[in-house]
Coordinates of all heavy atoms in Angstrom, one line a residue:
L290 N -25.1 -20.8 15.1 CA -25.6 -21.2 13.8 C -27.1 -21.0 13.7 O -27.6 -20.5 12.7 CB -25.2 -22.6 13.5 CG -25.7 -23.2 12.1 CD1 -25.1 -22.3 11.0 CD2 -25.3 -24.7 12.0
G291 N -27.8 -21.5 14.8 CA -29.2 -21.3 14.8 C -29.7 -19.9 14.7 O -30.6 -19.5 13.9
K292 N -29.0 -19.0 15.4 CA -29.4 -17.6 15.4 C -29.1 -17.0 14.1 O -29.9 -16.2 13.6 CB -28.5 -16.9 16.5 CG -28.8 -15.4 16.6 CD -27.9 -14.7 17.6 CE -26.5 -14.6 17.1 NZ -25.6 -13.7 18.0
F293 N -28.0 -17.3 13.5 CA -27.6 -16.7 12.2 C -28.6 -17.2 11.1 O -29.1 -16.3 10.3 CB -26.2 -17.1 11.8 CG -25.8 -16.6 10.4 CD1 -25.5 -15.3 10.2 CD2 -25.8 -17.5 9.3 CE1 -25.1 -14.8 9.0 CE2 -25.4 -17.0 8.1 CZ -25.1 -15.7 7.9
L294 N -29.0 -18.4 11.0 CA -29.9 -18.9 10.0 C -31.3 -18.4 10.2 O -32.0 -18.1 9.3 CB -29.9 -20.4 10.0 CG -28.6 -21.1 9.6 CD1 -28.7 -22.6 9.8 CD2 -28.2 -20.8 8.2
E295 N -31.7 -18.2 11.5 CA -33.0 -17.7 11.8 C -33.1 -16.2 11.4 O -34.1 -15.7 10.9 CB -33.3 -17.8 13.3 CG -34.7 -17.3 13.6 CD -35.0 -17.5 15.1 OE1 -34.2 -18.2 15.8 OE2 -36.1 -17.0 15.6
S296 N -32.0 -15.5 11.6 CA -31.9 -14.0 11.3 C -31.8 -13.8 9.8 O -32.1 -12.7 9.3 CB -30.8 -13.3 12.0 OG -30.9 -13.5 13.4
N297 N -31.3 -14.7 9.1 CA -31.0 -14.6 7.7 C -31.6 -15.8 6.9 O -30.8 -16.6 6.3 CB -29.6 -14.4 7.4 CG -28.9 -13.3 8.2 OD1 -29.0 -12.1 7.8 ND2 -28.3 -13.6 9.3
P298 N -32.9 -16.0 6.9 CA -33.5 -17.2 6.4 C -33.3 -17.5 5.0 O -33.4 -18.7 4.5 CB -35.0 -17.0 6.8 CG -35.2 -15.5 6.8 CD -33.9 -15.0 7.4
D299 N -33.1 -16.5 4.1 CA -33.0 -16.8 2.7 C -31.5 -16.6 2.2 O -31.3 -16.7 0.9 CB -33.9 -15.8 1.9 CG -35.3 -16.0 2.3 OD1 -35.8 -17.1 2.5 OD2 -36.0 -14.9 2.5
V300 N -30.6 -16.5 3.0 CA -29.2 -16.2 2.6 C -28.5 -17.5 2.2 O -27.8 -17.6 1.2 CB -28.4 -15.5 3.7 CG1 -27.0 -15.5 3.4 CG2 -29.0 -14.1 3.8
V301 N -28.6 -18.5 3.1 CA -27.8 -19.8 2.8 C -28.7 -20.8 2.2 O -29.8 -21.1 2.7 CB -27.3 -20.4 4.2 CG1 -26.5 -21.6 3.9 CG2 -26.4 -19.3 4.9
P302 N -28.3 -21.4 1.0 CA -29.2 -22.3 0.3 C -29.5 -23.6 1.2 O -28.6 -23.9 2.0 CB -28.3 -22.7 -0.9 CG -27.4 -21.6 -1.1 CD -27.1 -21.0 0.3
P303 N -30.6 -24.2 1.0 CA -31.0 -25.4 1.8 C -30.0 -26.5 1.9 O -29.8 -27.1 2.9 CB -32.3 -25.8 1.2 CG -32.9 -24.6 0.5 CD -31.7 -23.8 0.1
T304 N -29.3 -26.7 0.8 CA -28.3 -27.8 0.8 C -27.1 -27.5 1.7 O -26.6 -28.4 2.4 CB -27.7 -28.0 -0.6 OG1 -27.3 -26.8 -1.2 CG2 -28.8 -28.6 -1.5
F305 N -26.7 -26.2 1.8 CA -25.7 -25.8 2.7 C -26.2 -25.8 4.1 O -25.4 -26.1 5.1 CB -25.1 -24.4 2.3 CG -24.2 -24.4 1.2 CD1 -24.7 -24.3 -0.1 CD2 -22.8 -24.6 1.4 CE1 -23.8 -24.3 -1.2 CE2 -21.9 -24.6 0.3 CZ -22.4 -24.5 -1.0
V306 N -27.4 -25.5 4.3 CA -28.0 -25.5 5.7 C -28.0 -26.9 6.2 O -27.5 -27.2 7.4 CB -29.4 -24.9 5.7 CG1 -30.1 -25.2 7.1 CG2 -29.4 -23.5 5.4
S307 N -28.4 -27.9 5.4 CA -28.4 -29.3 5.8 C -27.0 -29.7 6.1 O -26.7 -30.4 7.1 CB -29.0 -30.1 4.7 OG -30.3 -29.8 4.5
R308 N -26.0 -29.4 5.2 CA -24.6 -29.8 5.4 C -24.0 -29.1 6.7 O -23.3 -29.8 7.4 CB -23.8 -29.3 4.2 CG -22.4 -29.8 4.2 CD -22.2 -31.2 4.3 NE -22.9 -32.0 3.3 CZ -22.5 -32.3 2.1 NH1 -21.3 -31.9 1.7 NH2 -23.2 -33.1 1.3
A309 N -24.4 -27.9 7.0 CA -23.9 -27.2 8.2 C -24.4 -27.9 9.4 O -23.6 -28.2 10.3 CB -24.4 -25.8 8.2
W310 N -25.6 -28.3 9.5 CA -26.1 -29.0 10.7 C -25.5 -30.4 10.8 O -25.2 -30.9 11.9 CB -27.6 -29.1 10.7 CG -28.3 -27.8 11.1 CD1 -29.1 -27.0 10.4 CD2 -28.1 -27.1 12.4 NE1 -29.5 -25.9 11.1 CE2 -28.9 -25.9 12.3 CE3 -27.4 -27.4 13.5 CZ2 -29.0 -25.0 13.4 CZ3 -27.5 -26.5 14.6 CH2 -28.3 -25.4 14.5
A311 N -25.4 -31.1 9.6 CA -24.7 -32.4 9.6 C -23.3 -32.3 10.2 O -22.9 -33.1 11.0 CB -24.7 -33.0 8.2
D312 N -22.6 -31.3 9.7 CA -21.2 -31.2 10.2 C -21.2 -30.9 11.7 O -20.3 -31.4 12.4 CB -20.5 -30.1 9.4 CG -19.0 -29.9 9.8 OD1 -18.2 -30.7 9.3 OD2 -18.7 -29.1 10.6
M313 N -22.1 -30.0 12.1 CA -22.1 -29.7 13.5 C -22.3 -30.9 14.4 O -21.5 -31.1 15.4 CB -23.3 -28.7 13.8 CG -23.5 -28.3 15.2 SD -22.2 -27.1 15.7 CE -22.8 -25.7 14.8
Y314 N -23.3 -31.8 14.1 CA -23.5 -32.9 14.9 C -22.4 -33.9 14.8 O -22.0 -34.5 15.8 CB -24.9 -33.6 14.5 CG -26.1 -32.8 15.0 CD1 -26.9 -32.1 14.1 CD2 -26.4 -32.9 16.3 CE1 -28.0 -31.4 14.6 CE2 -27.5 -32.2 16.8 CZ -28.3 -31.4 15.9 OH -29.4 -30.7 16.4
V315 N -21.9 -34.1 13.7 CA -20.8 -35.1 13.5 C -19.5 -34.7 14.2 O -18.8 -35.4 14.9 CB -20.5 -35.4 12.0 CG1 -19.3 -36.3 11.8 CG2 -21.7 -36.1 11.4
S316 N -19.2 -33.4 14.1 CA -18.0 -32.8 14.7 C -18.1 -32.9 16.2 O -17.1 -33.3 16.9 CB -17.8 -31.4 14.3 OG -17.5 -31.3 12.9

Side-chain angles (χ1 to χ4, degrees):
L290 180 60
K292 181 184 71 171
F293 178 74
L294 295 175
E295 183 179 352
S296 300
N297 305 278
D299 300 320
V300 168
V301 181
T304 53
F305 281 90
V306 172
S307 297
R308 183 60 50 89
W310 283 117
D312 183 83
M313 178 75 72
Y314 284 106
V315 172
S316 297

